[in-house]
Amino acid sequence: MAEQGAADLGNNNNNKPEASEGTIIKVTVKTPKDKEEIAIAEDASVTQFKEEISKRFKAKQDQLVLIFAGKILKDGDSLSQHGIKDGLTVHLVIKTAHNTSASSSTSNQGGNSTTSSPAANPITSLSHRLSPAGGFGDLASLAGLGMGSANFMELQQQMQRQLMSNPEMLSQIMENPLVQNMMSNPDLMRQMIMANPQMQQLMERNPEISHMLNNPELMRQTMELARNPAMMQEMMRNQDRALSNLESIPGGYNALRRMYTDIQEPMFSAAREQFGNNPFSALGGNSDSGAQPSRTENREPLPNPWGPPNSSNPSESGGGTTGSTSTSGATNPSVSNPLGVNPGSMFNSPGMQSLLQQISENPQLMQNMLSAPYMRSMMQSLAQNPELASQVMMNNPLFAGNPQLQEQFRSQLPIFLQQMQNPEALSVMANPRAMQALMQIQQGLQTLQTEAPGLMPSLMTSGIPGVPTGGAVPAENPASSPRNGTVRDHTHILKLPPYQTPEVRFQTQLDQLNAMGFINREANLQALIATGGDINAAIERLLGSQPS
Amino acid sequence: MAVQQHKFFRLLEELEEGQKGGGDGTVSWGLADDDDMMLTHWNGMIIGPAKTVYEGRIYSLKVDCGHRYPEYPPMVRFVNKINLTGVNSSTGAVDLKSVSALSRWKNSYNIKMVLQELRQHMMMKENSRLSQPPEGQVYSN
């Protein structure tokens, strides 16, 4: 036995017990998350056992609570006293107040001032001195703080600075019992927020915020968020994603910006003053997240916020401006769509429509819109859901009041949508000059329509749904258009969502031309298109261009 | 006599399981007194579930398996003060009927289950947010 002891003493291996008198027994130490087998002397004391455990689980000894057979093992006891023998299991709880599951291998926060940054210390001392309910009101005890700063505001600022630079410290602070106590009390939080005069102003200006604050569910969620950095990240990611979606809608950016300046900024500065961290960044963008985010990171792909199901009631949109927060549409906000944006209603809103007009005036905007990666998937979902697309299109101002047009357009939708996905078409749209040309042609067509309505009945229907519908691409089944590249562009333009391909439309004329001896089908078609189906004019064109 | 033996072995099994750390580490149980030959007096321990007001606390209980156990449920009493429906606020005695899973006792139920179900009970909406007395207080009997 003594030899064993000597050998053991010389050995730094963690597996060997320190006090090595008596036989070694192997005891399993089990936490809800983890399990380790620890070898310890049979007659060791609980303290010694805890020393071993502290090493293995990387936790402080005084945080360890050992339970065996329903009893808490006190330091002064011995293992044998409790009947702990080889092969038995002891339960371990690592007390990091509010962290019930003993996180063995994960880093142990517990608010202990293990960091060197001075700001951490006040928190720990605070936890000993202040009662949670007192919040930060009890300045007297601050006198004992290591920082030597009697001014609490200064303290806070320093803390903030530290926090900003050291994210790990943030998580430490979060773990701290005082902070957590505070945060788990929604009433307290609300009081603190409201106490800030800036916030009060903000609340007056934006009743939504006060509504948000008064919603205990939301507060609780936010606080849980703040506590759980992984969840926090997830939320932020969702939010960023949703924001970027919004940004990609023309006008959405403006709305976003408005939202930010009205709400977020003052809120941020107010919140920053008080807390120095960003649990409220989520709050700021997240008015009324009704859904319960899960605690764990959501590894499923985010649902497509532009997905079809939301469009079921665009007429109910009532949702004033685009991108507005919880007041928009009837959609329930979900985690991935925190602003409760209902894409269907967004398109229908007057704001959107005016923006569509703006787009037509500003090709650059169009380009921006298109370049947003999300546009593509939106197109796809539009393509997949003709109903949504039709609703979107129907409410376009150009269509309003022209049911015939709508009908035609509706029937053309599938083709149209496919065309939208044609990258070439998209690149045309992205080209501002092309867009301008498109505009001009459209205007020309319109003039023509008013001047000579009988002349081009078909062109009228196809020409009008132009660019402003947010993507009225030169949509044409490429097979039917002439192969010539440059000409194709023009013909594409002219054939803006056609309800019939020119070939079909001009079938009779084509036949006639063929009968007359004009055998160049392509040239015929071009001519017919250029003249809008007027055979005589087409013949003249053909004669003019053809050498014979 | 055979019935008694049966009960005894049954309790013995529970004892063994308790010592081997049965369950998922959130409850623990064992004989209160090693000399207790009748295996009637037991200690139980429940670790307060996360995301409730009980989080971070360790609750000690006394479980008395009378001579009618396991046909009849044991008497369970909290040692640490707790605010939980079904628990007598002055004595800590647990009314098992208020715990839905235990309200209809079966003889296949055991101490582990009692403790686990009590823990589940803590997680129920009506309980998970009840304000709790400060840690460390015990019932005085």
Side-chain angles (χ1 to χ4, degrees), chain A residues 215-234:
Chain A
N215 181 353
E217 252 326 288
L218 183 62
M219 294 292 285
R220 193 182 316 278
Q221 275 179 27
T222 313
M223 277 180 261
E224 290 198 80
L225 269 185
R227 273 201 251 170
N228 184 345
M231 190 55 218
M232 189 69 169
Q233 271 180 6
E234 181 68 18

Side-chain angles (χ1 to χ4, degrees), chain A residues 4-18 51-52 55-56:
Chain A
Q4 190 181 13
D8 287 342
L9 281 174
N11 190 339
N12 267 343
N13 188 335
N14 267 349
N15 282 336
K16 300 291 182 190
E18 295 177 348
E51 272 172 35
E52 282 305 312
K55 278 187 238 159
R56 184 77 68 86

Side-chain angles (χ1 to χ4, degrees), chain A residues 31-34 57-59 63-64 92-96 99-110 175:
Chain A
T31 69
K33 285 193 184 152
D34 214 358
F57 285 82
K58 299 192 183 25
Q63 289 173 303
L64 305 178
L92 172 66
V93 176
I94 299 184
K95 286 204 98 149
T96 54
N99 181 7
T100 162
S101 54
S103 53
S104 49
S105 42
T106 58
S107 63
N108 166 41
Q109 269 85 359
E175 293 289 343

Side-chain angles (χ1 to χ4, degrees), chain A residues 102-147:
Chain A
S103 53
S104 49
S105 42
T106 58
S107 63
N108 166 41
Q109 269 85 359
N112 287 323
S113 45
T114 50
T115 63
S116 52
S117 65
N121 286 333
I123 301 276
T124 348
S125 351
L126 273 178
S127 70
H128 295 310
R129 296 169 208 267
L130 298 180
S131 71
F136 289 127
D138 191 355
L139 290 177
S141 26
L142 287 178
L145 290 179
M147 282 198 64

Side-chain angles (χ1 to χ4, degrees), chain B residues 50-107:
Chain B
K51 291 187 226 135
T52 66
V53 290
Y54 312 100
E55 183 172 356
R57 302 217 195 181
I58 300 176
Y59 291 95
S60 201
L61 296 93
K62 292 266 175 229
V63 180
D64 273 355
C65 300
H67 63 278
R68 296 203 283 185
Y69 178 86
E71 264 70 38
Y72 284 79
M75 311 244 282
V76 185
R77 184 169 74 76
F78 272 89
V79 172
N80 301 101
K81 280 204 175 165
I82 185 172
N83 184 6
L84 179 65
T85 59
V87 178
N88 182 314
S89 51
S90 34
T91 64
V94 178
D95 177 16
L96 286 180
K97 295 203 191 51
S98 63
V99 180
S100 51
L102 302 172
S103 56
R104 313 265 228 91
W105 178 265
K106 295 190 176 43
N107 61 7

Side-chain angles (χ1 to χ4, degrees), chain A residues 30 69-71 89 93 98 100, chain B residues 19-21 28-30 32 43 55:
Chain A
K30 198 170 167 190
K71 274 190 279 218
T89 301
V93 176
H98 289 278
T100 162
Chain B
Q19 290 185 333
K20 298 236 173 84
S28 174
W29 65 98
N43 287 328
E55 183 172 356

